[in-house]
């Protein structure tokens, strides 16, 4: 059980910081942020992007920031409640870094290659499944792995959008996702045993309500990294894979657009 700095622990914080989450609570904590991201995109992100004449991709970046930054703030609040100061000690697990640096790098590189190759290889499957979701009001605005969401805009606006979003969707936001989903949520369903990384991967893939057609492909290319983080109790594995791939794709996509290659 967690310890608290104050004499009257916050009941909500106490429940969230418990090292064992009921499956029902874990499902809610996995999926609610995704539902909020879609709602914020439709109510705020899209109107803002449309208002300044920028692609929907910027609207999604805005929505992700408006939800994931408060999620990170919530983790810090839990840390302050537990420790009496701003700290993530006791909030995040799998952060002790048991793997030696050399072994860590040797494991992350294949995970990056796996996730990158599989994400492209499974793109046709995503296109096929997308035909079942054309009824969604944002079906044409949330593709990943290509620049179709930028088509129809002047080159300068497309490039500016990519430059703005690169540090956000390429680095900062995937990092927050890993801290929350793998550092906070995954360890608290460890009582599920070998099913824990399976459940975490499936729920994280479902959390992406803005691109449900990519659910199956996400499960396939994400599971090895998340299983490895669970197996070795080292969140650096999933961070290295996830942030590594998103940052590489964002950097090369921006460079390709700047050089008019794509």
């Amino acid at each position: 059980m967690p310890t608290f700095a104050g004499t009257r622990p916050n009941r909500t914080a106490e429940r969230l910081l418990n090292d064992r989450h009921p499956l029902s609570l874990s499902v809610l904590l996995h999926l609610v942020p995704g539902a909020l991201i879609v709602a914020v995109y439709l109510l705020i992100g899209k109107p803002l992007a449309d208002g300044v004449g920028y692609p929907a991709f910027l609207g999604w970046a805005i929505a992700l920031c408006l939800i994931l930054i408060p999620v990170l703030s919530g983790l810090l609040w839990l840390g302050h409640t537990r420790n009496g100061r701003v700290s993530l000690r006791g909030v995040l697990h799998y952060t002790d870094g048991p793997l030696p640096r050399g072994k860590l790098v040797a494991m992350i590189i294949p995970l990056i290659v796996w996730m990158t190759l599989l994400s492209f290889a499974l793109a046709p499957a995503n296109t096929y499944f997308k035909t079942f979701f054309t009824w969604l009001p944002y079906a044409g605005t949330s593709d990943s792995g290509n620049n179709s969401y930028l088509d129809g805009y002047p080159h300068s606006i497309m490039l500016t959008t990519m430059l703005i979003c690169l540090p956000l969707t390429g680095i900062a936001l995937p990092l927050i996702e890993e801290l929350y989903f793998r550092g906070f949520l995954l360890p608290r369903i460890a009582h599920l045993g070998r099913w824990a990384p399976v459940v975490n991967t499936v729920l994280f893939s479902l959390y992406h309500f803005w691109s449900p057609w990519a659910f199956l492909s996400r499960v396939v290319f994400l599971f090895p990294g998340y299983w490895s983080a669970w197996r070795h109790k080292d969140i650096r594995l999933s961070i290295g894979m996830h942030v590594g791939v998103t940052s590489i794709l964002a950097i090369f996509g921006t460079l390709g657009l700047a050089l008019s290659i794509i």
Side-chain angles (χ1 to χ4, degrees):
M1 292 294 291
T3 57
F4 294 87
T7 57
R8 298 183 61 187
N10 182 287
R11 294 284 182 166
T12 299
E14 185 176 16
R15 187 180 184 193
L16 292 174
L17 286 169
N18 195 300
D19 284 338
R20 180 171 175 150
H21 282 171
L23 185 57
S24 58
L25 174 61
S26 190
V27 169
L28 285 175
L29 293 175
H30 276 82
L31 300 185
V32 167
L36 291 175
I37 287 168
V38 171
V40 170
Y41 167 76
L42 293 173
L43 295 174
I44 299 175
K46 186 179 187 301
L48 281 177
D50 290 345
V52 295
Y54 271 70
F57 186 44
L58 180 63
W60 284 111
I62 292 171
L64 284 160
C65 286
L66 290 178
I67 298 302
L68 291 180
I69 291 176
V71 165
L72 178 60
S73 299
L75 295 178
L76 292 170
W77 169 75
L78 287 174
H80 188 274
T81 301
R82 184 187 191 279
N83 304 306
R85 57 188 177 86
V86 177
S87 168
L88 291 175
R89 184 174 62 85
V91 178
L92 303 184
H93 297 316
Y94 300 171
T95 57
D96 293 334
L99 289 173
R101 184 174 301 177
K103 185 176 181 180
L104 180 70
V105 173
M107 293 180 67
I108 287 176
I109 291 176
L111 289 172
I112 289 176
V113 173
W114 168 269
M115 183 174 172
T116 302
L117 293 181
L118 265 292
S119 63
F120 283 107
L122 294 174
N126 295 342
T127 301
Y128 169 75
F129 286 119
K130 190 172 183 179
T131 60
F132 297 100
F133 294 95
T134 53
W135 52 272
L136 289 173
Y138 49 84
T141 67
S142 55
D143 290 317
S144 59
N146 57 61
N147 289 319
S148 64
Y149 45 72
L150 300 174
D151 290 346
Y153 290 86
H155 183 268
S156 60
I157 288 181
M158 291 192 292
L159 182 57
T160 301
T161 300
M162 292 294 287
L163 288 171
I164 292 173
C165 293
L166 190 158
L168 299 174
T169 59
I171 301 173
L173 298 176
L175 176 59
I176 294 174
E177 287 180 331
E178 288 307 309
L179 296 178
Y180 178 66
F181 288 97
R182 251 61 60 190
F184 177 65
L185 294 180
L186 175 57
R188 288 176 167 84
I189 55 171
H191 58 278
L192 298 177
R194 294 182 179 181
W195 284 102
V198 177
V199 171
N200 180 256
T201 303
V202 168
L203 291 176
F204 180 65
S205 300
L206 285 173
Y207 143 85
H208 290 77
F209 290 117
W210 54 95
S211 53
W213 47 86
F215 166 74
L216 288 178
S217 64
R218 279 198 179 92
V219 171
V220 172
F221 64 66
L222 290 173
F223 179 71
Y226 297 162
W227 179 87
S228 298
W230 167 82
R231 172 67 177 79
H232 296 280
K233 292 181 171 50
D234 196 329
I235 194 179
R236 294 177 299 172
L237 287 166
S238 60
I239 290 175
M241 180 189 74
H242 191 173
V243 179
V245 171
T246 55
S247 60
I248 289 170
L249 292 179
I251 290 170
F252 278 95
T254 302
L255 286 174
L257 191 61
L259 299 174
S260 298
I261 297 175
I262 57 176

